[in-house]
Amino acid sequence: MPQLPAIFFDPAKTFDDNFDHGPFLAAGPAYQNEGEPSYTFLGHKLYSPFGIAAGSLPTSKHVGGAFNRGFDVVCYKTQRSVPFPVNEFPNVVYLDIDGDLTLEKAARPLAGRLTSDVPLEKLTITNSFGNPSRGPGFWVNDMKKAVAAQGKGQLLIASVVGTIREGFGKEDYYQDFADAAGLAVSAGAPAVEINLSCPNVANEGVVCYTHDAVLSIAQRTKAKVGDVPIIAKIGYFTPDQQELLEKIVLDTRDYVSAFSAINTIQAAIVDEDGKQLLPGEGRLRSGVCGAGIKWAGIDMVKRLDALRKKHRLSFEIIGVGGVMAPADFHDYRAAGADVVQSVTAAMWNDQLAAEIKATLH
Ligand SMILES: Cc1cc2nc3c(=O)[nH]c(=O)nc-3n(C[C@H](O)[C@H](O)[C@H](O)COP(=O)(O)O)c2cc1C
């Protein structure tokens, strides 16, 4: 499913099974880059401005597999400063979305299924893991291997998130993002992504929509990581939130080197009887990704690009969301993305980078 074997992350298997036994790559030659890398991102030379966003690559084996297949800008799945459990299985279900998942459609419950025969290019899914982490005791060492797996013209990004703990105030929580980023830098990560598109457990809503939270996390992370560039991963801002987006972009200008947009669009996911599909507290709503959210990713990239031109800012943009085929990559580049990443399509199609690279020359 969908009519193809899953390679980087198999939704039919548990997270731990994927973690311990993946990726499920067929034996084959590594992608061979030719000539010199000609793209630049965050000061790093790249063979292509394309790769895999945070999600489907939870270990250095997965990251190494992605580099091997020619994905050049690859995120190690979001990590925490402490161990944290994964949500109950299943974590990925398939959604029947006709065309774009507009905000109107996402305001109503969406029916989820455990199987689907929708072709990969049109696939929309939801994912709900809860940012699990085996803790720095595992991942700091493992990330060193992921850093070592970078080839010439390739870049590893370490994605991190804060964890609220007993007795934490909100500033402790924001500092924990920075501490996790510091651990990633101690592993040699050349760039860190702060995952601001997770639910904000210190305030209402999602972190990226709280200006002061974003600013505090960005400042604290910069103080921790020094010259290592910071990427802020954000969700979709509605047109009503444009002023907030502009203020965030302006106020974080000294700390954030790139924005990655978008994460997902949240929706309630139900079974055929209209009941919550994913088991467990707080799991009625989860993030939707894949083909149905491309419109939102493109819209955010265009607006970020317009803001950087308007204010003569130098931040770079990673476009994410619904990149299922080479044409989607080119649409993101035309919208203003410096780098483009996929998760959903690349879970099944390990040749996506090769297909895109074939259209670059
Ligand atoms: C299986 C899966 C796991 C994900 N885990 C993370 C994560 O750990 N951190 C994060 O910032 N985003 C995570 N995401 C969101 C993706 O990075 C991406 O923003 C989103 O899926 C949209 O891209 P796509 O349409 O190409 O899938 C995950 C997505 C999927 C499908």
Side-chain angles (χ1 to χ4, degrees):
M1 226 320 306
Q3 299 162 340
L4 294 164
I7 293 172
F8 285 115
F9 193 92
D10 185 351
K13 297 182 169 73
T14 64
F15 178 75
D16 284 341
D17 196 354
N18 275 283
F19 190 103
D20 292 331
H21 302 117
F24 308 101
L25 285 162
Y31 183 89
Q32 294 298 325
N33 288 301
E34 282 165 22
E36 289 301 310
S38 57
Y39 296 87
T40 308
F41 179 64
L42 300 177
H44 295 270
K45 284 280 182 201
L46 296 176
Y47 273 110
S48 73
F50 181 67
I52 297 182
S56 53
L57 309 173
T59 74
S60 61
K61 273 197 298 170
H62 296 77
V63 167
F67 282 140
N68 173 283
R69 289 298 193 260
F71 294 87
D72 291 329
V73 194
V74 163
C75 290
Y76 192 106
K77 184 169 165 60
T78 304
Q79 294 301 323
R80 297 176 180 267
S81 68
V82 287
F84 202 83
V86 65
N87 287 340
E88 200 177 320
F89 184 83
N91 303 97
V92 170
V93 295
Y94 305 96
L95 306 174
D96 291 332
I97 306 287
D98 191 14
D100 291 346
L101 176 66
T102 59
L103 298 182
E104 270 174 15
K105 283 188 202 167
R108 294 191 293 268
L110 304 175
R113 296 179 206 291
L114 292 177
T115 59
S116 166
D117 53 13
V118 172
L120 182 58
E121 289 198 9
K122 295 193 167 160
L123 190 70
T124 299
I125 64 175
T126 186
N127 82 84
S128 166
F129 292 89
N131 287 322
S133 176
R134 294 207 179 170
F138 172 82
W139 66 257
V140 171
N141 265 331
D142 189 56
M143 192 175 281
K144 288 180 187 163
K145 294 182 197 159
V147 171
Q150 293 173 112
K152 179 178 168 182
Q154 298 188 318
L155 178 67
L156 178 82
I157 298 170
S159 170
V160 296
V161 74
T163 309
I164 199 142
R165 306 209 272 290
E166 188 79 38
F168 264 25
K170 60 183 180 179
E171 291 299 328
D172 301 311
Y173 171 52
Y174 304 152
Q175 181 60 35
D176 195 57
F177 282 78
D179 292 344
L183 287 164
V185 169
S186 79
V192 287
E193 185 170 284
I194 41 177
N195 179 359
L196 303 175
S197 20
C198 50
N200 187 348
V201 282
N203 276 307
E204 288 296 299
V206 172
V207 177
C208 65
Y209 307 119
T210 309
H211 168 272
D212 294 356
V214 174
L215 187 58
S216 173
I217 292 168
Q219 283 170 335
R220 288 169 182 279
T221 305
K222 191 72 206 161
K224 197 84 184 187
V225 305
D227 290 341
V228 173
I230 298 171
I231 302 156
K233 173 98 177 264
I234 57 176
Y236 183 70
F237 283 60
T238 63
D240 288 352
Q241 292 169 311
Q242 180 66 18
E243 229 173 273
L244 173 63
L245 179 64
E246 186 161 10
K247 192 163 163 49
I248 285 174
V249 159
L250 281 170
D251 292 352
T252 58
R253 64 201 297 169
D254 293 336
Y255 319 112
V256 170
S257 300
F259 285 90
S260 173
I262 61 168
N263 196 320
T264 53
I265 292 182
Q266 294 267 325
I269 311 297
V270 295
D271 63 15
E272 283 170 3
D273 302 323
K275 298 208 183 80
Q276 177 176 332
L277 178 63
L278 297 173
E281 205 184 319
R283 291 185 78 204
L284 173 62
R285 293 175 69 73
S286 60
V288 178
C289 42
I293 69 161
K294 178 185 165 188
W295 71 271
I298 293 274
D299 183 47
M300 279 294 285
V301 167
K302 283 186 181 161
R303 286 157 62 196
L304 285 165
D305 187 44
L307 285 173
R308 91 177 145 181
K309 286 182 176 133
K310 175 178 169 187
H311 296 291
R312 296 171 195 271
L313 298 172
S314 58
F315 66 81
E316 298 189 72
I317 302 171
I318 305 181
V320 191
V323 178
M324 316 305 285
D328 302 316
F329 163 87
H330 291 289
D331 288 346
Y332 268 95
R333 290 276 291 173
D338 300 282
V339 157
V340 182
Q341 290 180 320
S342 161
V343 174
T344 301
M347 280 163 56
W348 282 272
N349 183 6
D350 66 322
Q351 295 304 307
L352 187 56
E355 290 167 12
I356 286 172
K357 284 172 160 177
T359 69
L360 283 179
H361 304 294

XYZ file of all heavy atoms in Angstrom, residues 102-187:
638
model
N -8.856 21.794 1.961
C -9.030 23.213 2.309
C -9.277 23.320 3.811
O -9.587 22.322 4.475
C -10.246 23.788 1.570
O -11.386 23.022 1.961
C -10.073 23.724 0.055
N -9.155 24.535 4.338
C -9.404 24.716 5.775
C -10.863 24.396 6.106
O -11.168 23.876 7.177
C -9.045 26.138 6.207
C -7.574 26.514 6.025
C -7.316 27.929 6.519
C -6.635 25.528 6.722
N -11.766 24.667 5.159
C -13.185 24.315 5.361
C -13.358 22.811 5.508
O -14.049 22.339 6.400
C -14.014 24.765 4.156
C -14.558 26.149 4.288
C -15.252 26.591 3.019
O -15.555 25.765 2.145
O -15.468 27.803 2.918
N -12.688 22.065 4.622
C -12.788 20.593 4.706
C -12.169 20.095 6.001
O -12.665 19.169 6.636
C -12.071 19.931 3.526
C -12.833 19.965 2.229
C -12.081 19.096 1.206
C -12.439 19.494 -0.206
N -11.537 18.930 -1.217
N -11.046 20.715 6.400
C -10.344 20.263 7.615
C -11.115 20.611 8.881
O -10.837 20.057 9.953
C -8.945 20.880 7.663
N -12.088 21.514 8.780
C -12.887 21.878 9.956
C -13.923 20.800 10.274
O -14.495 20.782 11.357
C -13.578 23.218 9.713
N -14.168 19.913 9.300
C -15.120 18.819 9.536
C -14.334 17.533 9.772
O -13.200 17.395 9.295
C -16.022 18.646 8.309
C -16.932 19.844 8.068
C -17.969 19.507 7.016
N -17.388 19.305 5.694
C -17.250 20.270 4.785
N -17.646 21.485 5.053
N -16.726 20.009 3.617
N -14.902 16.546 10.497
C -14.173 15.293 10.709
C -13.877 14.598 9.376
O -14.690 14.654 8.457
C -15.154 14.462 11.546
C -16.104 15.438 12.141
C -16.198 16.575 11.183
N -12.716 13.978 9.292
C -12.307 13.263 8.080
C -12.276 11.771 8.375
O -11.775 11.348 9.426
C -10.907 13.709 7.646
C -10.694 15.214 7.416
C -9.219 15.477 7.116
C -11.576 15.700 6.266
N -12.776 10.981 7.446
C -12.783 9.521 7.647
C -11.405 8.956 7.328
O -10.832 9.267 6.270
C -13.840 8.890 6.760
N -10.867 8.171 8.257
C -9.558 7.534 8.055
C -9.727 6.046 7.813
O -10.700 5.436 8.263
N -8.800 5.458 7.063
C -8.837 4.012 6.782
C -7.446 3.421 6.987
O -6.454 4.120 6.849
C -9.194 3.757 5.316
C -10.554 4.207 4.929
C -10.802 3.935 3.442
N -11.786 4.876 2.937
C -13.056 4.871 3.279
N -13.497 3.952 4.113
N -13.890 5.767 2.806
N -7.449 2.117 7.267
C -6.159 1.446 7.481
C -5.536 0.967 6.175
O -4.376 0.569 6.150
C -6.337 0.271 8.443
C -6.692 0.706 9.880
C -6.923 -0.499 10.766
C -5.590 1.591 10.467
N -6.322 0.975 5.095
C -5.758 0.619 3.789
C -6.241 1.647 2.775
O -7.205 2.362 3.034
C -6.228 -0.777 3.317
O -7.648 -0.756 3.243
C -5.737 -1.873 4.241
N -5.586 1.646 1.633
C -5.998 2.579 0.579
C -5.431 2.104 -0.746
O -4.349 1.517 -0.794
C -5.456 3.976 0.893
O -5.566 4.802 -0.234
N -6.165 2.339 -1.828
C -5.583 2.023 -3.135
C -5.398 3.285 -3.980
O -5.267 3.235 -5.186
C -6.413 0.968 -3.870
C -7.882 1.366 -3.950
O -8.190 2.548 -3.673
O -8.712 0.503 -4.298
N -5.377 4.428 -3.286
C -5.135 5.700 -3.992
C -3.688 5.701 -4.508
O -2.775 5.320 -3.782
C -5.358 6.885 -3.019
C -4.927 8.211 -3.628
C -6.823 6.943 -2.585
N -3.466 6.098 -5.764
C -2.083 6.143 -6.259
C -1.228 7.098 -5.425
O -1.736 8.117 -4.928
C -2.214 6.659 -7.688
C -3.658 6.774 -7.981
C -4.456 6.529 -6.740
N 0.047 6.766 -5.290
C 0.926 7.536 -4.400
C 0.867 9.040 -4.694
O 0.854 9.845 -3.765
C 2.370 7.010 -4.518
C 3.385 7.685 -3.603
C 3.007 7.579 -2.140
C 4.781 7.108 -3.819
N 0.809 9.414 -5.957
C 0.849 10.852 -6.297
C -0.338 11.622 -5.727
O -0.287 12.843 -5.582
C 0.890 11.048 -7.816
C 2.217 10.645 -8.389
C 2.465 11.198 -9.771
O 1.684 12.037 -10.254
O 3.467 10.784 -10.376
N -1.434 10.895 -5.404
C -2.640 11.588 -4.902
C -2.897 11.290 -3.440
O -3.943 11.636 -2.892
C -3.846 11.143 -5.718
C -3.750 11.560 -7.152
C -5.068 11.397 -7.858
C -4.991 12.115 -9.188
N -5.973 11.665 -10.133
N -1.939 10.636 -2.795
C -2.190 10.128 -1.441
C -2.166 11.238 -0.372
O -1.283 12.081 -0.355
C -1.116 9.093 -1.095
C -1.368 8.307 0.184
C -2.543 7.344 0.013
C -0.117 7.515 0.571
N -3.159 11.182 0.514
C -3.186 12.049 1.692
C -3.341 11.148 2.912
O -4.138 10.203 2.895
C -4.351 13.055 1.611
O -4.160 13.870 0.444
C -4.400 13.954 2.823
N -2.553 11.419 3.953
C -2.559 10.564 5.144
C -2.577 11.448 6.393
O -2.452 12.672 6.302
C -1.306 9.637 5.189
C -0.014 10.472 5.325
C -1.244 8.743 3.977
C 1.264 9.639 5.493
N -2.744 10.818 7.546
C -2.491 11.562 8.772
C -1.422 10.813 9.554
O -1.288 9.590 9.425
C -3.756 11.733 9.622
O -3.446 12.590 10.735
C -4.273 10.424 10.168
N -0.622 11.558 10.338
C 0.385 10.887 11.167
C 0.261 11.397 12.592
O 0.005 12.582 12.829
C 1.792 11.073 10.601
C 2.402 12.397 10.987
O 2.977 12.537 12.072
N 2.283 13.394 10.120
N 0.424 10.492 13.541
C 0.267 10.825 14.958
C 1.199 9.934 15.786
O 0.856 8.803 16.106
C -1.192 10.575 15.353
O -1.339 10.572 16.743
N 2.395 10.470 16.042
C 3.405 9.702 16.793
C 3.647 10.284 18.177
O 4.032 9.568 19.097
C 4.734 9.697 16.018
C 4.687 8.918 14.749
C 4.312 9.522 13.564
C 5.009 7.568 14.739
C 4.249 8.798 12.386
C 4.958 6.837 13.559
C 4.570 7.463 12.379
N 3.495 11.600 18.317
C 3.774 12.251 19.603
C 5.253 12.564 19.804
O 5.696 12.705 20.943
N 6.006 12.656 18.706
C 7.454 12.927 18.813
C 8.149 12.005 19.814
O 8.734 12.467 20.801
C 7.706 14.389 19.197
C 7.417 15.345 18.055
O 7.693 15.042 16.903
N 6.842 16.486 18.370
N 8.115 10.700 19.562
C 8.798 9.774 20.474
C 10.316 9.957 20.418
O 10.850 10.412 19.404
C 8.425 8.396 19.919
C 8.157 8.638 18.461
C 7.547 10.012 18.393
N 10.990 9.634 21.512
C 12.457 9.701 21.512
C 12.990 8.644 22.470
O 12.426 8.446 23.542
C 12.924 11.092 21.954
O 14.325 11.148 22.042
N 14.040 7.975 22.054
C 14.681 7.031 22.992
C 15.604 7.770 23.954
O 16.256 7.160 24.793
C 15.433 5.943 22.225
C 14.468 5.057 21.458
C 14.935 3.651 21.199
N 13.886 2.942 20.475
C 14.020 1.749 19.926
N 15.167 1.089 20.017
N 13.008 1.194 19.293
N 15.678 9.084 23.789
C 16.485 9.893 24.702
C 17.895 10.067 24.183
O 18.379 9.291 23.345
N 18.601 11.116 24.686
C 19.942 11.431 24.172
C 20.945 10.301 24.388
O 21.923 10.208 23.649
C 20.337 12.695 24.936
C 19.377 12.838 26.052
C 18.133 12.086 25.683
N 20.689 9.441 25.387
C 21.591 8.303 25.608
C 21.708 7.450 24.361
O 22.753 6.855 24.089
N 20.642 7.405 23.574
C 20.710 6.685 22.298
C 21.071 7.620 21.154
O 22.007 7.385 20.396
C 19.366 5.987 21.977
C 19.367 5.424 20.583
C 19.949 4.191 20.324
C 18.862 6.153 19.507
C 20.008 3.684 19.020
C 18.920 5.664 18.211
C 19.483 4.416 17.971
N 20.278 8.736 21.031
C 20.332 9.418 19.736
C 21.578 10.279 19.522
O 21.971 10.508 18.365
C 19.045 10.181 19.448
C 18.685 11.370 20.302
C 17.757 11.400 21.296
C 19.176 12.719 20.191
N 17.644 12.660 21.826
C 18.502 13.499 21.166
C 20.114 13.345 19.356
C 18.742 14.861 21.343
C 20.355 14.708 19.537
C 19.685 15.448 20.509
N 22.222 10.747 20.590
C 23.409 11.591 20.354
C 24.500 10.773 19.631
O 25.068 11.215 18.625
C 23.929 12.223 21.661
C 25.271 12.911 21.430
C 22.909 13.245 22.203
N 24.717 9.554 20.117
C 25.705 8.698 19.444
C 25.259 8.320 18.049
O 26.035 8.303 17.095
C 25.953 7.419 20.251
C 27.158 7.606 21.146
O 28.072 8.374 20.805
N 27.147 6.941 22.281
N 23.953 7.996 17.941
C 23.441 7.581 16.636
C 23.492 8.748 15.638
O 23.765 8.545 14.455
C 22.006 7.055 16.782
C 21.531 6.413 15.503
O 22.204 5.475 15.016
O 20.509 6.868 14.946
N 23.243 9.963 16.137
C 23.298 11.122 15.234
C 24.718 11.342 14.703
O 24.908 11.806 13.570
C 22.771 12.376 15.936
C 22.522 13.525 14.989
S 21.777 14.937 15.813
C 20.080 14.432 15.914
N 25.722 11.003 15.524
C 27.106 11.126 15.029
C 27.284 10.261 13.772
O 27.957 10.659 12.820
C 28.101 10.666 16.106
C 28.209 11.638 17.267
C 29.209 11.147 18.305
C 29.158 12.052 19.538
N 29.768 11.479 20.739
N 26.642 9.068 13.789
C 26.737 8.189 12.604
C 25.984 8.813 11.425
O 26.409 8.681 10.269
C 26.132 6.817 12.930
C 26.912 6.048 13.985
C 26.274 4.692 14.222
C 26.768 4.108 15.543
N 25.886 3.076 16.079
N 24.869 9.462 11.712
C 24.104 10.109 10.629
C 24.922 11.252 10.024
O 24.926 11.446 8.807
C 22.771 10.621 11.162
N 25.622 12.002 10.877
C 26.479 13.100 10.394
C 27.581 12.516 9.495
O 27.866 13.034 8.411
C 27.081 13.883 11.581
C 28.148 14.873 11.112
C 25.977 14.614 12.361
N 28.139 11.380 9.952
C 29.226 10.749 9.176
C 28.721 10.188 7.851
O 29.509 9.990 6.920
C 29.871 9.635 10.012
N 27.410 9.941 7.755
C 26.851 9.358 6.519
C 26.661 10.408 5.420
O 26.409 10.055 4.266
C 25.508 8.685 6.820
N 26.786 11.708 5.767
C 26.645 12.746 4.735
C 27.732 12.550 3.686
O 28.911 12.409 4.021
C 26.869 14.149 5.320
C 25.835 14.622 6.304
C 26.255 15.939 6.952
O 25.644 16.948 6.715
N 27.311 15.894 7.745
N 27.320 12.565 2.423
C 28.316 12.552 1.349
C 28.634 13.975 0.947
O 28.052 14.934 1.470
N 29.539 14.097 -0.002
C 29.818 15.428 -0.564
C 28.511 16.004 -1.115
O 27.707 15.276 -1.721
C 30.842 15.242 -1.684
C 31.234 16.498 -2.389
C 32.291 16.158 -3.423
C 32.506 17.326 -4.354
N 33.485 17.023 -5.396
N 28.274 17.292 -0.902
C 27.067 17.929 -1.450
C 25.786 17.502 -0.760
O 24.695 17.610 -1.339
N 25.894 17.031 0.496
C 24.700 16.622 1.245
C 24.707 17.270 2.629
O 25.762 17.624 3.154
C 24.656 15.091 1.393
C 24.571 14.388 0.032
C 24.323 12.903 0.143
O 24.911 12.233 0.987
N 23.466 12.385 -0.734
N 23.521 17.412 3.221
C 23.398 18.099 4.510
C 22.429 17.359 5.431
O 21.309 17.042 5.031
C 22.875 19.533 4.275
C 22.644 20.387 5.529
C 23.970 20.700 6.234
C 21.920 21.685 5.156
N 22.888 17.136 6.662
C 22.012 16.569 7.696
C 21.450 17.696 8.561
O 22.191 18.561 9.023
C 22.780 15.601 8.601
C 21.886 15.047 9.708
C 21.045 13.892 9.209
C 22.660 14.654 10.936
N 20.149 17.656 8.795
C 19.495 18.598 9.712
C 18.986 17.799 10.903
O 18.336 16.761 10.729
C 18.318 19.322 9.016
C 18.825 20.143 7.821
C 17.550 20.189 10.006
C 17.716 20.695 6.924
N 19.276 18.290 12.120
C 18.770 17.640 13.340
C 17.531 18.380 13.796
O 17.594 19.572 14.105
C 19.835 17.694 14.429
N 16.395 17.682 13.861
C 15.153 18.314 14.327
C 14.982 18.026 15.823
O 15.184 16.898 16.270
C 13.965 17.749 13.542
O 12.759 18.173 14.130
N 14.618 19.063 16.574
C 14.450 18.899 18.034
C 13.176 19.580 18.509
O 12.652 20.494 17.861
C 15.656 19.487 18.822
C 16.937 18.745 18.504
C 15.806 20.986 18.551
N 12.715 19.128 19.696
C 11.525 19.719 20.307
C 11.720 19.724 21.819
O 12.478 18.896 22.356
C 10.267 18.908 19.881
C 10.180 17.560 20.584
C 8.998 19.699 20.084
N 11.046 20.649 22.505
C 11.120 20.691 23.965
C 10.131 19.712 24.595
O 9.162 19.298 23.968
N 10.397 19.388 25.841
C 9.511 18.471 26.582
C 9.167 19.128 27.906
O 10.070 19.512 28.670
C 10.232 17.135 26.863
O 10.777 16.641 25.640
C 9.273 16.104 27.475
N 7.885 19.274 28.204
C 7.515 19.867 29.485
C 7.559 18.783 30.552
O 7.184 17.644 30.286
C 6.133 20.569 29.422
C 6.008 21.550 30.583
C 4.982 19.610 29.379
C 5.303 22.824 30.234
N 8.099 19.143 31.705
C 8.241 18.146 32.763
C 7.700 18.696 34.073
O 7.488 19.904 34.223
C 9.717 17.763 32.921
C 10.302 17.316 31.596
C 11.402 16.331 31.768
N 12.720 16.936 31.926
C 13.377 17.552 30.959
N 12.848 17.701 29.773
N 14.586 18.037 31.176
N 7.481 17.805 35.004
C 6.986 18.149 36.351
C 7.731 19.391 36.870
O 8.967 19.414 36.872
C 7.305 16.933 37.251
C 6.709 16.987 38.630
C 5.246 16.598 38.633
O 4.864 15.682 37.892
O 4.503 17.244 39.397
N 7.004 20.404 37.278
C 7.633 21.577 37.887
C 8.140 22.598 36.890
O 8.680 23.637 37.284
N 8.008 22.332 35.584
C 8.503 23.273 34.572
C 7.552 24.457 34.425
O 6.340 24.270 34.312
C 8.583 22.575 33.198
C 9.936 22.018 32.850
C 10.843 21.674 33.836
C 10.301 21.827 31.522
C 12.080 21.147 33.504
C 11.538 21.312 31.184
C 12.432 20.968 32.176
N 8.105 25.667 34.394
C 7.357 26.828 33.931
C 7.561 26.917 32.431
O 8.323 26.137 31.841
N 6.908 27.938 31.809
C 7.005 27.965 30.345
C 8.424 28.257 29.861
O 8.870 27.694 28.862
C 5.956 28.880 29.721
C 6.008 30.301 30.109
C 4.849 31.051 29.461
C 4.925 32.497 29.867
N 3.868 33.296 29.287
N 9.185 29.094 30.603
C 10.560 29.377 30.143
C 11.466 28.141 30.263
O 12.382 27.962 29.468
C 11.149 30.570 30.902
C 10.485 31.919 30.558
C 10.599 32.333 29.076
O 11.602 31.989 28.418
O 9.680 33.001 28.570
N 11.165 27.279 31.278
C 11.927 26.019 31.367
C 11.670 25.164 30.125
O 12.567 24.509 29.588
C 11.512 25.211 32.606
C 11.726 25.974 33.893
O 12.834 26.528 34.059
O 10.789 26.034 34.713
N 10.390 25.165 29.747
C 9.995 24.400 28.545
C 10.710 24.960 27.304
O 11.291 24.192 26.517
C 8.478 24.478 28.402
C 7.898 23.929 27.130
C 8.201 22.639 26.686
C 7.006 24.691 26.357
C 7.642 22.132 25.516
C 6.437 24.186 25.197
C 6.757 22.915 24.777
O 6.204 22.424 23.632
N 10.731 26.279 27.153
C 11.383 26.863 25.977
C 12.898 26.576 26.011
O 13.518 26.301 24.986
C 11.132 28.383 25.906
C 9.655 28.744 25.900
C 9.197 29.965 26.395
C 8.711 27.847 25.395
C 7.839 30.286 26.377
C 7.358 28.157 25.389
C 6.927 29.368 25.893
O 5.591 29.677 25.887
N 13.476 26.622 27.202
C 14.911 26.321 27.333
C 15.205 24.876 26.920
O 16.275 24.565 26.408
C 15.370 26.565 28.775
C 16.851 26.314 29.018
C 17.780 27.194 28.160
O 17.461 28.341 27.885
N 18.905 26.648 27.732
N 14.225 24.002 27.133
C 14.454 22.593 26.804
C 14.614 22.377 25.296
O 15.320 21.460 24.867
C 13.318 21.730 27.363
C 13.691 20.261 27.369
O 14.725 19.913 27.980
O 12.980 19.473 26.719
N 13.972 23.217 24.468
C 14.225 23.169 23.014
C 15.713 23.444 22.779
O 16.374 22.765 21.996
C 13.421 24.249 22.271
C 11.959 23.958 22.048
C 11.040 24.102 23.065
C 11.499 23.566 20.793
C 9.678 23.878 22.854
C 10.146 23.342 20.566
C 9.234 23.491 21.599
N 16.210 24.489 23.455
C 17.607 24.895 23.275
C 18.557 23.794 23.754
O 19.575 23.508 23.114
C 17.866 26.194 24.034
N 18.201 23.165 24.886
C 19.066 22.107 25.416
C 19.124 20.917 24.455
O 20.186 20.319 24.244
C 18.580 21.675 26.801
C 18.784 22.783 27.836
O 19.548 23.732 27.552
O 18.180 22.707 28.924
N 17.964 20.579 23.870
C 17.947 19.481 22.893
C 18.779 19.862 21.669
O 19.532 19.045 21.129
C 16.505 19.159 22.494
N 18.683 21.143 21.251
C 19.487 21.605 20.116
C 20.977 21.527 20.449
O 21.800 21.141 19.612
C 19.096 23.034 19.741
N 21.326 21.872 21.699
C 22.725 21.791 22.134
C 23.243 20.356 22.054
O 24.388 20.117 21.637
N 22.406 19.411 22.422
C 22.802 17.999 22.323
C 23.057 17.611 20.863
O 24.012 16.887 20.550
C 21.707 17.097 22.922
C 21.593 17.120 24.444
C 20.262 16.512 24.904
C 22.765 16.360 25.076
N 22.179 18.105 19.960
C 22.352 17.786 18.534
C 23.673 18.364 18.016
O 24.397 17.712 17.257
C 21.171 18.339 17.731
N 23.991 19.580 18.457
C 25.243 20.201 18.016
C 26.444 19.437 18.589
O 27.465 19.258 17.925
C 25.254 21.700 18.400
C 26.624 22.319 18.217
C 24.215 22.446 17.562
N 26.286 18.913 19.825
C 27.379 18.106 20.410
C 27.609 16.827 19.603
O 28.691 16.245 19.642
C 27.086 17.777 21.883
O 26.156 16.709 21.977
N 26.563 16.396 18.856
C 26.713 15.217 17.994
C 27.308 15.587 16.639
O 27.521 14.720 15.797
C 25.353 14.552 17.797
